[in-house]
Every structure is written in structure tokens, then in C-alpha cells.
């Protein structure tokens, strides 16, 4: 039996695997982008029907960037965490244990698939949205904060996905729960709606979510909308959330891996 | 006919037992239409107002319409997914080879098999919103809901015809995921479930008219507009759906025979 000795070799193998899969399942990849775009449009065109004509352009821009953040979160959750089901069904998790490779590193490699789908989806949605909102959609108040908001979202959603993967190996989270949570996050998690526009009860919930702070920074970058707690405070809160989420992810992975090595695994999507 | 009934019975038996084994999923079947309606309503009212939606959609009762169209959306997902995704699911779990080599033809499994479970899940989707509809619209609302269910059942026949060919294609292209998955969001997008179809580009409007769902949506709009809906406005829609049922299944059945031939020639798995 050949054991993988070097960590670098492990990372290279995982990277190779995910790139090969991306190439092998190219139709599925394109299909994912198409499906994503269409689902977003169905709901957004519906939501835009609520908006009065005089606010239409501003709301279309807020909605578009909310969608971009949601694409990042949704793809991380489904293409990383949701994929656990497939990895388990094909016996790949146990296989990695046997070769002394943490299966979470292998599953986390799906980040590559997630980011590829996200990067391909955004221009398509942008093109379609520009036909609705015109060139106004391309206007950016501060590219630095726009980029920062997106990077923050990417970090939060990847860490959240890893927590989900780890938890699912231990507890079995039904796949529908992920959908429910993702949908709720768009409205209640401050991704699609500025905190200031939210009803008060929902506002407290939204402010407790890390995504909200990434979204508030991004909205400042796009439209110059002042974040709910002010820009400087939002930056501090966003940084604290990174540390907290990273610590939680590390602890959860440690505990779950110890448990799983002894008792075996369960997964997201098991119905 | 013996095989048709046997396949229907077996498929429904499997479906019911899946629900029994997964109560969480069964619960979410009741909960989903509300979640979708909440998402659209919540997002829409934070960005605009329900009155604006009512004006733009040209409907008198927007709440009834949003609830009903959420259920229509879920029913369409279940119709297309049950038919188009069924064969792929069998391939994943390793039972497709047995199905292909068993006495009934593949088309019987593909078309007849999912009908009872699809009818059942559509029934659940629609009746789950009955309490809300009774609250807002009284007994007349309940009756309208029953009419919408009948329209969904009528639209199911041509939809199955379309889904079966696209589902068959996913076997031929041998992808891991369902490449036919684009069909549901595409149908929903061009049918204008949550927005007037007229806001779409003309080409998409025309394509939309070729899908049965647009006529179910049209019927729902009529039912949500008039207190006592004039039935003579619904008759032409029924006629179109019946015509589509005959036409689509006439054309798609040979397509499925072709897929069956290909699968028998090349085998079910690639590796």
C-alpha cells in the first residue's frame, strides 16, 4: 500500500482531483452556472415588482450586489458542504482516513469549484441586470470597499461551509435545512437588504450575522451607503468575526475528527 | 398496462417510504410554499410595497397570488425533478442497470413511474397553503385552490413529456450531476411566475408560451383577480393545455425510445 507522505503532495493531489473533475464534468459546471443565474433572476425580478419607479435604479443596484454576495455564500455552502453527501456515498471519506489524510482538506478543495462557478456566474448576472438597470449598475463608489466586502464574504462562507461539513459528519444535517437557511439569510441575514431598511426585530438578528457586515461594507463600496454602525466600526466588527469564525471552525474540526475516527460518519443531504 | 400499474405502485411505495423515513423532509414539504412566499414577500416589502406589486401584476389579491404561485413553483419543480431526475438517481444508486434489463420498457419507468408521487407532492404543495388561503379568502379561496390544482395536473402531462426527454439526455451525456436541472428554472423564468411575463425580452416571452406553466400562471392570475372568476376565461387555457399534452407526448415518446436504444447499446455506466 502506498501512503502519501508529504503534505505538499496531498495538496497537489487534491488540487489535481478537483481540477480534473471540473474538466471532466464541464457540462455539469456550465449547467450549474445557468441554473444559478436563472434561480436568482426568478426571485429578483419578482422582488423588483414591489419597488416604486422612483427608487427602482438604486434598489436594482443594491439587489444586484446582494445577489453577488448570495452567490458566493450559496456556492460555498452547496458546492463545498453539500458535496459531502457525494464524497460519503462514493466512500471517499473513509478512503482518506485510511491514507491518513484529513477528509475535510479534500472536501475543502471544492472551494476551487465554488469560486469557479461564482466567478463565471457574476458576469452573466451582471449582463442581464445591466439590461434592467442600465449602465448605473457599473457605477462603483469605492472599489476598495467593494473588493473588501466580497473577500470578507468569501472568507465567512468558506469557514461556515467547513463548520457545516464537520458538523454534518457528526450529526447528519438534512439538505433542505441548508436551503432554508440560505434563503432566510438573503432576507434576514442582511445580504439583500440594507440593515437600515429592515424592521427592528429582524435588524438585531441581521446584525448578529457575520454576512451582514460584509454586505454593509460592500454597499458602502458600491453606493456610498453609510453602514449601520459606521464604516470604521463595521471594519472592526468584520475583523472580529473572522477571528471568531476561524477559531470556531478549528475547534469544531478538531472535536469532530476525533469523534469520527472512532464512530464513523454521517452527512448533509442524507434524507 | 399491467406493467404501467406495477411501476406506478412500486414508485409510489418507494416515495411514501422515503417520506416515512425522513419526517423532516415530509415536514418541509408543507413548509416550503410558505418559505418561498415569505422570501418574496419579505424581500419585496423591505425594498418596496405590496400595493406596488398588486398594481404592477394587475391582480386584486397579491397575497393569494404569491402563495399560490409559490405552490405552483414547487409543483413544477417536483414534476420535472421526479421525471427528469429519476433515471439519474437510479444510476447513482446502482439500480438503473436492473431497470433497463427488466421486462417493462424504460419509457414506462420514466413516464408512468413518477406520476402518482408527482400528483401527491403537487397535492401536498397546494393543500399546505389551504389554511392561509381559507384565512384570507374564505371557502371561495379553497375552491379556487382546487381549480389551480386541476390546472397543475393538466399541465403535468405535457411537462412530463418534456422532462422525460431531457432526463433521458442526462443519461446519454453521462455527467455526475443532473444536466437536465436547467429545465425547471428555465420554465419558471420564462413563465413569469412572480412577475408579468411581459417584462421579459420578446424571444423569452415566445419561448415561455410554448411551456404549459405559463397557462397555469395565467389561470392563477384570473383566479386572484376576480372574486367570482368567469369560467369562460379559463376554458381556452384548458384547451391549450390538452392540446399541448397530446402534441408534446407525441413528439417526445420517440425521443425516449432513442435514449433507451442508446443506453442498451452503450451500457449504463462508463468507467
Amino acid at each position: 500500500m502506498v501512503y502519501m507522505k508529504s503534505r505538499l503532495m496531498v495538496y497537489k493531489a487534491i488540487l489535481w482531483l478537483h481540477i480534473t473533475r471540473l474538466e471532466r464534468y464541464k457540462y455539469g459546471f456550465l449547467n450549474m452556472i445557468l441554473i444559478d443565474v436563472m434561480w436568482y433572476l426568478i426571485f429578483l425580478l419578482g422582488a423588483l415588482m414591489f419597488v416604486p419607479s422612483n427608487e427602482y435604479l438604486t434598489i436594482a443596484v443594491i439587489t444586484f450586489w446582494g445577489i453577488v454576495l448570495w452567490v458566493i455564500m450559496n456556492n460555498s455552502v452547496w458546492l463545498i458542504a453539500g458535496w459531502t453527501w457525494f464524497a460519503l456515498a462514493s466512500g471517499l471519506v473513509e478512503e482518506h482516513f485510511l491514507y491518513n489524510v484529513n477528509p475535510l482538506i479534500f472536501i475543502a478543495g471544492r472551494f476551487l469549484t465554488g469560486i469557479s462557478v461564482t466567478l463565471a456566474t457574476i458576469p452573466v448576472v451582471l449582463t442581464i441586470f445591466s439590461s434592467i438597470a442600465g449602465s448605473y449598475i457599473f457605477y462603483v463608489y469605492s472599489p476598495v470597499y467593494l473588493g473588501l466586502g466580497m473577500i470578507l464574504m468569501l472568507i465567512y462562507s468558506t469557514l461556515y461551509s467547513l463548520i457545516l461539513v464537520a458538523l454534518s459528519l457528526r450529526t447528519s444535517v438534512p439538505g433542505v435545512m441548508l436551503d432554508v437557511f440560505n434563503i432566510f439569510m438573503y432576507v434576514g441575514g442582511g445580504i439583500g437588504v440594507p440593515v437600515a431598511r429592515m424592521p427592528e426585530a429582524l435588524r438585531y438578528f441581521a446584525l448578529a450575522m457575520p454576512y451582514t457586515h460584509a454586505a454593509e461594507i460592500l454597499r458602502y463600496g458600491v453606493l456610498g451607503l453609510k453602514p449601520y454602525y459606521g464604516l470604521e466600526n463595521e471594519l472592526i466588527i468584520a475583523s472580529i468575526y473572522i477571528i471568531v469564525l476561524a477559531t470556531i471552525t478549528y475547534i469544531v474540526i478538531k472535536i469532530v475528527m476525533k469523534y469520527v475516527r472512532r464512530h464513523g460518519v454521517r452527512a448533509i443531504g442524507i434524507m | 398496462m399491467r406493467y404501467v400499474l406495477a411501476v406506478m405502485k412500486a414508485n409510489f411505495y418507494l416515495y411514501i417510504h422515503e417520506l416515512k423515513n425522513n419526517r423532516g423532509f415530509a415536514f418541509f414539504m408543507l413548509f416550503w410554499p410558505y418559505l418561498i412566499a415569505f422570501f418574496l414577500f419579505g424581500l419585496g416589502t423591505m425594498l418596496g410595497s405590496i400595493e406596488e406589486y398588486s398594481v404592477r401584476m394587475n391582480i386584486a389579491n397579491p397575497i393569494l397570488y404569491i402563495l399560490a404561485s409559490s405552490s405552483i413553483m414547487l409543483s413544477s419543480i417536483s414534476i420535472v425533478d421526479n421525471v427528469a431526475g429519476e433515471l439519474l438517481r437510479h444510476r447513482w444508486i446502482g439500480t438503473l442497470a436492473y431497470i433497463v434489463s427488466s421486462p417493462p420498457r424504460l419509457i414506462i419507468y420514466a413516464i408512468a413511474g413518477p406520476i402518482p408521487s408527482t400528483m401527491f407532492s403537487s397535492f401536498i404543495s397546494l393543500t399546505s397553503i389551504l389554511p392561509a388561503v381559507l384565512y384570507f379568502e374564505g371557502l371561495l379561496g379553497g375552491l379556487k385552490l382546487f381549480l389551480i390544482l386541476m390546472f397543475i395536473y393538466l399541465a403535468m402531462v405535457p411537462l412530463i413529456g418534456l422532462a422525460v426527454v431531457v432526463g433521458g439526455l442526462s443519461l446519454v451525456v453521462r455527467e455526475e450531476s443532473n444536466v437536465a436541472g436547467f429545465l425547471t428554472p428555465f420554465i419558471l423564468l420564462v413563465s413569469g411566475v412572480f412577475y408579468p411575463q411581459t417584462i421579459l425580452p420578446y424571444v423569452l416571452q415566445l419561448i415561455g408560451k410554448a411551456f404549459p406553466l405559463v397557462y397555469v400562471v395565467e389561470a392563477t392570475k384570473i383566479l386572484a383577480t376576480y372574486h367570482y372568476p368567469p369560467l369562460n376565461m379559463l376554458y381556452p387555457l384548458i384547451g391549450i393545455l390538452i392540446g399541448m399534452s397530446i402534441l408534446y407526448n407525441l413528439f417526445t415518446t420517440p425521443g425516449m425510445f432513442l435514449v433507451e436504444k442508446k443506453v442498451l447499446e452503450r451500457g449504463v455506466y462508463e468507467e
Side-chain angles (χ1 to χ4, degrees), chain A:
Chain A
M1 201 188 286
V2 181
Y3 284 96
M4 292 184 185
K5 294 258 164 57
S6 133
R7 299 305 296 169
L8 194 68
M9 195 172 156
V10 170
Y11 294 134
K12 264 171 76 177
I14 289 170
L15 201 68
W16 173 83
L17 174 116
H18 289 292
I19 291 171
T20 310
R21 281 177 53 86
L22 210 60
E23 193 269 328
R24 164 72 181 84
Y25 297 119
K26 50 189 172 298
Y27 298 122
F29 172 69
L30 292 173
N31 191 45
M32 259 188 277
I33 296 162
L34 254 179
I35 291 173
D36 270 8
V37 170
M38 287 192 284
W39 277 120
Y40 301 137
L41 283 176
I42 290 166
F43 284 105
L44 286 176
L45 291 176
L48 286 175
M49 291 298 109
F50 287 79
V51 180
S53 322
N54 57 334
E55 282 193 283
Y56 199 76
L57 285 181
T58 315
I59 298 291
V61 174
I62 290 176
T63 312
F64 167 72
W65 287 105
I67 281 295
V68 170
L69 293 182
W70 203 41
V71 170
I72 296 173
M73 186 190 78
N74 209 32
N75 281 339
S76 299
V77 169
W78 273 112
L79 296 178
I80 300 175
W83 193 69
T84 317
W85 180 84
F86 182 80
L88 268 172
S90 20
L92 290 168
V93 172
E94 286 85 349
E95 191 77 10
H96 280 78
F97 273 130
L98 285 175
Y99 283 93
N100 204 22
V101 175
N102 187 338
L104 281 174
I105 300 176
F106 155 65
I107 294 171
R110 285 281 288 180
F111 173 82
L112 193 75
T113 316
I115 194 80
S116 308
V117 174
T118 303
L119 288 176
T121 305
I122 292 168
V124 183
V125 184
L126 180 67
T127 312
I128 297 169
F129 248 72
S130 64
S131 70
I132 297 168
S135 56
Y136 193 58
I137 204 101
F138 296 102
Y139 173 78
V140 174
Y141 179 75
S142 162
V144 176
Y145 289 108
L146 168 70
L148 185 65
M150 286 173 79
I151 291 168
L152 281 170
M153 192 66 179
L154 206 61
I155 296 171
Y156 293 150
S157 47
T158 306
L159 290 173
Y160 168 59
S161 305
L162 286 175
I163 294 174
L164 272 180
V165 174
L167 283 177
S168 71
L169 293 178
R170 167 76 174 81
T171 56
S172 172
V173 180
V176 273
M177 279 304 290
L178 288 183
D179 264 342
V180 172
F181 188 75
N182 284 357
I183 287 178
F184 185 73
M185 272 300 109
Y186 188 81
V187 184
I191 295 176
V193 185
V195 178
R197 273 181 174 262
M198 287 183 164
E200 205 171 333
L202 202 56
R203 202 176 290 167
Y204 295 121
F205 174 81
L207 287 169
M209 295 290 115
Y211 305 126
T212 310
H213 305 285
E216 287 288 290
I217 292 169
L218 179 133
R219 278 189 282 266
Y220 175 77
V222 175
L223 287 166
L225 284 180
K226 192 173 175 279
Y228 190 71
Y229 283 137
L231 185 62
E232 278 162 19
N233 289 335
E234 284 293 354
L235 290 173
I236 296 168
I237 295 169
S239 314
I240 293 171
Y241 264 115
I242 293 182
I243 299 165
V244 170
L245 269 176
T247 313
I248 293 174
T249 311
Y250 179 77
I251 294 169
V252 168
I253 288 175
K254 275 275 172 205
I255 294 171
V256 169
M257 281 301 120
K258 199 175 165 193
Y259 177 90
V260 164
R261 277 177 191 276
R262 188 174 290 173
H263 300 280
V265 289
R266 312 178 91 187
I268 288 173
I270 289 183
M271 293 300 186

Side-chain angles (χ1 to χ4, degrees), chain B residues 68-89:
Chain B
S69 42
S70 302
S71 293
I72 291 170
M73 175 185 249
L74 287 168
S75 300
S76 323
I77 295 171
S78 119
I79 292 167
V80 180
D81 275 4
N82 276 346
V83 179
E86 185 68 7
L87 296 174
L88 200 70
R89 270 195 291 276

Side-chain angles (χ1 to χ4, degrees), chain B residues 110-246:
Chain B
I111 293 183
I115 288 178
S117 49
T118 303
M119 286 180 79
F120 182 73
S121 63
S122 298
F123 175 77
I124 296 291
S125 286
L126 259 290
T127 45
S128 66
I129 60 163
L130 189 65
V133 170
L134 287 177
Y135 177 78
F136 286 113
E137 281 264 301
L139 270 177
L140 188 67
L143 199 68
K144 286 178 179 177
L145 203 65
F146 175 75
L147 276 174
I148 296 171
L149 182 67
M150 291 301 114
F151 265 93
I152 289 177
Y153 284 163
L154 258 179
M156 190 175 82
V157 188
L159 266 181
I160 285 178
L162 288 171
V164 84
V165 169
V166 184
L169 278 180
S170 60
L171 291 185
V172 178
V173 294
R174 292 158 183 250
E175 284 272 331
E176 169 203 306
S177 60
N178 186 5
V179 288
F182 75 91
L183 189 63
T184 317
F186 183 70
I187 292 175
L188 291 169
L189 180 74
V190 295
S191 301
V193 181
F194 292 131
Y195 44 85
Q197 213 213 6
T198 45
I199 67 161
L200 296 172
Y202 186 63
V203 183
L204 288 184
Q205 285 183 42
L206 275 184
I207 295 172
K209 297 235 185 296
F211 289 112
L213 201 64
V214 83
Y215 305 101
V216 181
V217 173
E218 195 55 44
T220 312
K221 268 184 199 162
I222 293 170
L223 293 170
T225 303
Y226 298 96
H227 189 62
Y228 291 105
L231 291 177
N232 61 341
M233 284 177 83
L234 298 176
Y235 292 144
L237 302 174
I238 295 172
I240 293 170
L241 287 174
I242 292 173
M244 278 183 163
S245 303
I246 299 166

